[in-house]
């Protein structure tokens, strides 16, 4: 009836989820409760059958929205479920009472209490460790999850039946679920904190993470770790740190507050000891710092120095309270760092030609360096004279694949090639690691150039 009245509901995920959930309760909850009652008391089996049936049926639709499976979904829905009918009935009453504002407001206030319980339950379980299992995206992932859901339903609903067909169905379903569990466990182990470091060289000192069109670098010396910028989103940075086996960050440098450099504070929340931010453009930039949780803040200014493990770092730019360059690209924090286990490195943020010339004029840049982080993702706005002075063995370009800016541009690539600098770019090569060697440095790439 609803689709006849509004055919466009057929394209609504919310409508599809409501239909699928209702159908699962009508068709699956009773046989699932009957199957669960073989191992659980009947009241508990009946209570679990409702959210379990809903999750088995709704999972494939949810995967189309986001390629992940909520591992605690059944328990969360079991706790939130009793509040749902109260919200529905009282909320509907509030809508119908709209002509009487006092009554409508009162009913809405009553409906808020169970609504808040549902929201708090969802947020609590979503924030728990391992709450989401990454899944195959798109229609293929939805069909795969539907197949596994059907197998789980068969295992539960047909439990205890001795017919030949039932035994064969349970055997096939058990085999399918066992294979899926093995693949999922193996994939999680290979991408987790424990096994992640085993897939990369162990002696790396500098890591250029593949975070898309943005910056995300990791430096390591004497057991201490620094991260320089957080990329545009938290997920790629979190995955990179997990693969490198990094769980604590001693120093976080935020070169400037463009979103492609500060978009991932959630990946580092409550994991950072000290933050070294560049100039803030205004109060709107505070969100990136606030998102890190408890961390000491020290404003970066030219000449500032510090220690990272066995290495020493120095801030080469920007000038304090400079009026020539407003907060942003040309006021990026430029760091020089060197140690016995970390190659001499300079990180150029997003500086453009004017700021590069001004910094070069301070005479603080004294090459050669072994590694340079190329400015502004390899844009054309570069000063060749700066790179001639830097004279780096390796140039790292942190850039997103198929970006709209045409980065890295031929101009800077030609400049680096003419200087004999070996280029590593994250858009084509993925994670890039630089390790010190007796003769200089070595470069490891996730994908061959």
């Amino acid at each position: 009836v609803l689709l006849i009245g509004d055919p466009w509901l057929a394209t609504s995920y919310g409508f599809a989820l409501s239909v699928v959930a209702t159908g699962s309760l009508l068709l699956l909850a009773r046989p699932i409760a009957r199957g669960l009652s073989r191992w659980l008391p009947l009241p508990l089996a009946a209570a679990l059958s409702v959210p379990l049936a809903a999750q088995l049926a709704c999972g494939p639709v949810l995967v189309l929205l986001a390629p992940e499976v909520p591992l605690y979904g059944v328990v969360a829905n079991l706790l939130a479920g009793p509040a749902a009918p109260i919200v529905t009935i009282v909320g509907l009453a509030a809508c119908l009472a709209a002509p009487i504002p006092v009554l409508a407001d009162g009913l809405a206030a009553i409906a808020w209490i169970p609504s808040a319980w549902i929201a708090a339950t969802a947020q609590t379980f979503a924030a728990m460790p391992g709450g989401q299992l990454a899944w195959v995206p798109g229609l293929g992932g939805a069909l795969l999850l539907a197949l596994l859901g059907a197998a789980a339903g068969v295992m539960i609903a047909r439990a205890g039946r001795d017919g030949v067909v039932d035994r064969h169905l349970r055997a096939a379903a058990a085999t399918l679920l066992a294979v899926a569990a093995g693949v999922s466990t193996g994939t999680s182990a290979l991408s987790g904190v424990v096994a992640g470091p085993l897939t990369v060289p162990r002696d790396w000192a500098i890591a250029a993470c593949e975070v898309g069109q943005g910056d995300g670098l990791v430096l390591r010396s004497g057991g201490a770790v620094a991260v320089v910028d957080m990329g545009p989103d938290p997920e790629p940075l979190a995955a990179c740190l997990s693969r490198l086996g990094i769980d604590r960050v001693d120093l976080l440098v935020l070169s400037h507050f463009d979103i492609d450099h500060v978009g991932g504070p959630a990946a580092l929340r409550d994991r950072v000891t000290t933050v070294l931010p560049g100039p803030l453009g205004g109060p709107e930039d505070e969100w990136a710092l606030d998102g890190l949780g408890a961390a000491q803040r020290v404003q970066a200014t030219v000449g500032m120095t510090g220690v990272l493990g066995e290495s020493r770092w120095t801030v080469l730019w920007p000038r304090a309270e400079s009026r020539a360059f407003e907060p942003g690209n040309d006021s990026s924090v430029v760091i020089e760092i060197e140690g016995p286990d970390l190659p001499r490195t300079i990180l150029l943020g997003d500086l453009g030609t004017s700021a590069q010339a001004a910094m070069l004029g301070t005479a603080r840049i004294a090459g050669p360096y072994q590694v340079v982080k190329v400015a502004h993702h390899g844009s054309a706005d570069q000063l060749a004279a700066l790179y001639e002075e830097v004279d780096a063995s390796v140039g790292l370009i942190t850039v997103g694949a198929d970006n709209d800016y045409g980065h890295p541009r031929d101009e800077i690539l030609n400049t680096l090639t003419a200087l004999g600098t070996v280029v590593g770019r994250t858009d084509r090569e993925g994670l890039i690691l630089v390790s010190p060697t007796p003769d200089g440095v070595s470069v490891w790439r996730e994908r061959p150039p």
Side-chain angles (χ1 to χ4, degrees):
V1 170
L2 286 172
L3 285 173
I4 291 172
D6 183 4
W8 289 106
L9 282 174
T11 66
S12 166
Y13 279 105
F15 182 77
L17 287 169
S18 295
V19 172
V20 172
T22 304
S24 70
L25 301 185
L26 294 174
L27 302 176
L28 300 180
R30 185 184 296 274
I32 287 177
R34 188 185 302 115
L36 290 175
S37 66
R38 292 181 55 83
W39 307 290
L40 301 172
L42 184 57
L44 180 58
L48 284 173
S49 69
V50 173
L52 180 57
Q55 178 148 330
L56 291 176
C58 293
V61 180
L62 292 171
V63 164
L64 294 174
L65 282 170
E68 54 191 23
V69 177
L71 298 184
Y72 308 137
V74 172
V75 179
N77 281 315
L78 183 64
L79 294 175
I86 302 174
V87 173
T88 304
I89 296 170
V90 179
L92 176 60
C95 293
L96 296 175
I100 309 174
V102 174
L103 179 58
D105 290 345
L107 291 170
I110 295 173
W112 177 86
I113 298 173
S115 296
W117 170 255
I118 294 173
T121 302
Q123 292 167 349
T124 299
F125 279 91
M128 291 178 65
Q132 306 291 334
L133 174 66
W135 198 257
V136 181
L139 182 60
L143 293 175
L144 177 60
L145 188 58
L147 181 62
L148 294 176
V154 167
M155 287 290 296
I156 297 171
R158 312 295 290 188
R161 300 194 179 189
D162 296 326
V164 175
V165 174
D166 290 303
R167 289 199 299 269
H168 286 299
L169 279 176
R170 288 199 302 270
T175 302
L176 181 61
L177 291 172
V179 171
V183 171
S184 176
T185 302
T187 302
S188 298
L190 286 176
S191 61
V193 173
V194 175
L198 300 180
T199 65
V200 299
R202 298 180 60 185
D203 59 348
W204 64 271
I206 304 169
C209 295
E210 185 181 15
V211 296
Q213 183 68 9
D215 275 12
L217 295 102
V218 186
L219 310 176
R220 185 174 68 172
S221 175
V225 173
V227 170
V228 181
D229 291 330
M230 304 184 292
D233 299 294
E235 290 81 7
L237 179 62
C240 183
L241 295 177
S242 175
R243 185 172 183 186
L244 296 173
I246 304 297
D247 56 3
R248 289 293 306 171
V249 175
D250 300 280
L251 176 67
L252 171 64
V253 180
L254 298 179
S255 64
H256 61 297
F257 284 84
D258 285 355
I259 190 63
D260 57 333
H261 292 254
V262 297
L268 294 173
R269 183 170 183 82
D270 297 327
R271 299 169 66 181
V272 177
T273 302
T274 302
V275 184
L276 197 69
L280 275 74
E284 66 275 8
D285 292 337
E286 288 283 351
W287 73 271
L289 295 170
D290 294 339
L292 295 169
Q296 180 186 11
R297 301 182 190 179
V298 181
Q299 188 67 44
T301 56
V302 65
M304 182 182 294
T305 65
V307 173
L308 179 74
E310 299 178 4
S311 299
R312 176 164 289 277
W313 54 264
T314 303
V315 177
L316 305 180
W317 190 263
R319 295 168 177 163
E321 300 180 355
S322 171
R323 295 188 178 182
F325 301 103
E326 295 296 325
N329 288 349
D330 286 338
S331 291
S332 296
V333 176
V334 175
I335 291 280
E336 172 188 275
I337 187 167
E338 180 181 13
D341 58 349
L342 199 154
R344 189 167 189 240
T345 300
I346 184 169
L347 309 172
L348 296 177
D350 272 4
L351 295 191
T353 302
S354 298
Q356 290 179 19
M359 184 177 64
L360 184 61
T362 65
R364 290 182 176 273
I365 308 297
Y369 292 84
Q370 291 172 290
V371 180
V372 60
K373 200 289 292 186
V374 176
H376 205 182
H377 322 294
S379 73
D381 188 23
Q382 309 278 354
L383 184 68
L386 174 63
Y387 289 92
E388 291 171 4
E389 178 60 39
V390 168
D391 191 21
S393 302
V394 175
L396 300 175
I397 303 179
T398 48
V399 60
D402 302 321
N403 63 84
D404 296 333
Y405 309 99
H407 296 164
R409 298 290 295 273
D410 289 339
E411 293 89 337
I412 184 60
L413 294 175
N414 292 337
T415 296
L416 295 171
T417 300
L419 293 170
T421 300
V422 175
V423 174
R425 44 191 290 184
T426 55
D427 59 337
R428 295 182 178 178
E429 298 158 18
L431 174 65
I432 301 171
L433 303 178
V434 179
S435 304
T437 68
D439 300 324
V441 294
S442 65
V443 180
W444 177 92
R445 298 168 169 89
E446 182 178 11
R447 299 186 292 270

